[in-house]
């Protein structure tokens, strides 16, 4: 029986690489990125389970916990200029949360997004179906296309996809476009600089407006700091006729 040279080499390479994989595994068993203990996954179950989920609605400006009436209105009374309410279930100050989001941003790892969402869903079992509701449309915060190509994915989209899929809401990725590259918000010191940096950076696409009008738009992002980016998104969604706008950020960097 003949085996082509190509098949032979592919087979040999596969055996070798599996062998190498096993050897690496034996010499360097995977450890949890947070606590350093041996683990099956990059973040161990114990660390994951230790993450606290905060299911409350907040004022997007001063982080005051909102009353039921404010949630119903979809706007805080303390800061009347705000046109949305904020859910931000995880605390970015918590090390596990920071590590997972950092890994997600700079080293890939879609599995992390799924596990974080599963955790949030478990902690917000009652709230999430109400937040998304019957009229909810899910809008991920857009990323400039050059950056998306470089990173391979937009992490806000990963969270948005999970949310939309699990609660049966349409995910509209095409409506918001990041029309210019902005300086990383982390490089900017104060709130004013951050707000200025984002002005006009996001624009709503005319042809998708019909999908937004009269709906509850849920804008999804990873970390909420000053809210400068999300605020630009809110403006565009309101212009498109969204009835209510809800900010849903996985984590917040202030408390
Ligand atoms: Zn751990
Ligand atoms: Zn407020």
């Amino acid at each position: 029986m003949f085996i082509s040279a190509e098949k032979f080499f592919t087979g040999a390479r596969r055996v070798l690489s599996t062998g190498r994989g096993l050897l690496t595994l034996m010499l360097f068993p995977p450890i949890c990125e947070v606590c350093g203990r041996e683990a099956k996954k990059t973040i161990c179950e114990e660390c994951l389970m230790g993450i606290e989920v905060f299911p409350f609605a907040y004022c997007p400006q001063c982080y005051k916990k909102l009353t039921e009436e404010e949630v119903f209105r979809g706007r805080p009374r303390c800061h009347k200029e705000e046109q949305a309410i904020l859910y931000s279930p995880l605390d970015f100050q918590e090390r596990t949360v920071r590590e997972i989001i950092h890994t997600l941003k700079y080293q890939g790892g879609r599995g992390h997004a799924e596990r974080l969402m599963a955790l949030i869903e478990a902690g917000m079992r009652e709230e999430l179906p109400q937040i998304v509701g019957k009229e909810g449309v899910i809008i991920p915060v857009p990323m400039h296309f050059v950056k998306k190509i470089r990173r391979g994915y937009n992490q806000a989209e990963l969270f948005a996809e999970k949310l939309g899929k699990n609660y049966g809401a349409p995910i509209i990725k095409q409506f918001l476009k990041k029309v210019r590259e902005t300086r990383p918000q982390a490089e900017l010191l104060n709130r004013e600089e951050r707000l200025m940096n984002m002005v006009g950076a996001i624009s709503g696409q005319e042809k998708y407006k019909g999908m937004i009008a009269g709906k509850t738009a849920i804008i999804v992002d990873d970390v909420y700091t000053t809210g400068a980016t999300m605020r630009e998104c809110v403006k565009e969604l309101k212009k498109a006729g969204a009835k209510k706008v809800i900010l849903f950020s996985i984590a917040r960097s202030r408390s």
Side-chain angles (χ1 to χ4, degrees), residues 19 32 34 77 111 185 228:
C32 168
V34 179
R77 284 196 181 276
Q185 292 287 72

Side-chain angles (χ1 to χ4, degrees), residues 59-64 66 76-80 82:
C59 165
Q61 204 169 135
C62 68
Y63 284 91
K64 180 185 82 86
L66 301 182
R77 284 196 181 276
C78 48
H79 285 94
K80 290 203 164 65
E82 295 292 341

Side-chain angles (χ1 to χ4, degrees), residues 32 34-37 43-44 46-47:
C32 168
V34 179
C35 66
R37 280 180 296 205
I43 309 278
C44 76
E46 258 170 74
C47 283

Side-chain angles (χ1 to χ4, degrees), residues 89-116:
L90 307 183
D91 186 356
F92 197 63
Q93 309 297 331
E94 221 182 289
R95 191 169 156 229
T96 318
V97 174
R98 223 167 37 232
E99 290 282 339
I100 297 180
I101 291 179
H102 196 266
T103 310
L104 194 64
K105 266 191 170 165
Y106 302 104
Q107 298 160 37
R110 286 161 184 268
H112 284 1
E114 295 199 357
R115 291 160 80 198
L116 273 189

Side-chain angles (χ1 to χ4, degrees), residues 34 36 46 59 68 86 99 126 128 148-149 167 173 180 208 254:
V34 179
E46 258 170 74
C59 165
E68 260 176 58
L86 167 73
E99 290 282 339
E126 277 173 31
L128 274 174
K148 191 173 168 183
I149 291 170
Y167 296 93
K173 293 182 195 169
R180 67 175 166 82
Y208 297 105
R254 292 189 305 179

Side-chain angles (χ1 to χ4, degrees), residues 11-125:
R13 206 180 302 139
R14 199 172 297 145
V15 170
L16 273 175
S17 68
T18 323
R20 235 188 347 245
L22 278 175
L23 192 67
T24 316
L25 214 62
M26 273 153 59
L27 291 176
F28 308 102
I31 55 165
C32 168
E33 280 163 21
V34 179
C35 66
R37 280 180 296 205
E38 221 175 283
K40 285 198 194 86
K41 294 172 185 158
T42 42
I43 309 278
C44 76
E45 287 307 312
E46 258 170 74
C47 283
L48 264 182
M49 288 304 146
I51 296 176
E52 199 176 344
V53 178
F54 302 84
F56 318 108
Y58 301 97
C59 165
Q61 204 169 135
C62 68
Y63 284 91
K64 180 185 82 86
K65 243 191 244 175
L66 301 182
T67 62
E68 260 176 58
E69 188 262 345
E70 288 171 303
V71 173
F72 180 75
R73 282 175 69 226
R75 295 173 73 166
R77 284 196 181 276
C78 48
H79 285 94
K80 290 203 164 65
E81 68 276 26
E82 295 292 341
Q83 304 206 63
I85 58 172
L86 167 73
Y87 286 90
S88 201
L90 307 183
D91 186 356
F92 197 63
Q93 309 297 331
E94 221 182 289
R95 191 169 156 229
T96 318
V97 174
R98 223 167 37 232
E99 290 282 339
I100 297 180
I101 291 179
H102 196 266
T103 310
L104 194 64
K105 266 191 170 165
Y106 302 104
Q107 298 160 37
R110 286 161 184 268
H112 284 1
E114 295 199 357
R115 291 160 80 198
L116 273 189
M117 271 314 286
L119 203 78
I120 292 170
E121 279 170 19
M124 296 180 77
R125 214 167 282 142

Side-chain angles (χ1 to χ4, degrees), residues 167-186:
Y167 296 93
I171 306 148
I172 306 172
K173 293 182 195 169
Q174 311 90 327
F175 176 64
L176 293 179
K177 266 216 166 80
K178 180 104 181 260
V179 287
R180 67 175 166 82
E181 187 63 289
T182 44
R183 284 177 62 195
Q185 292 287 72

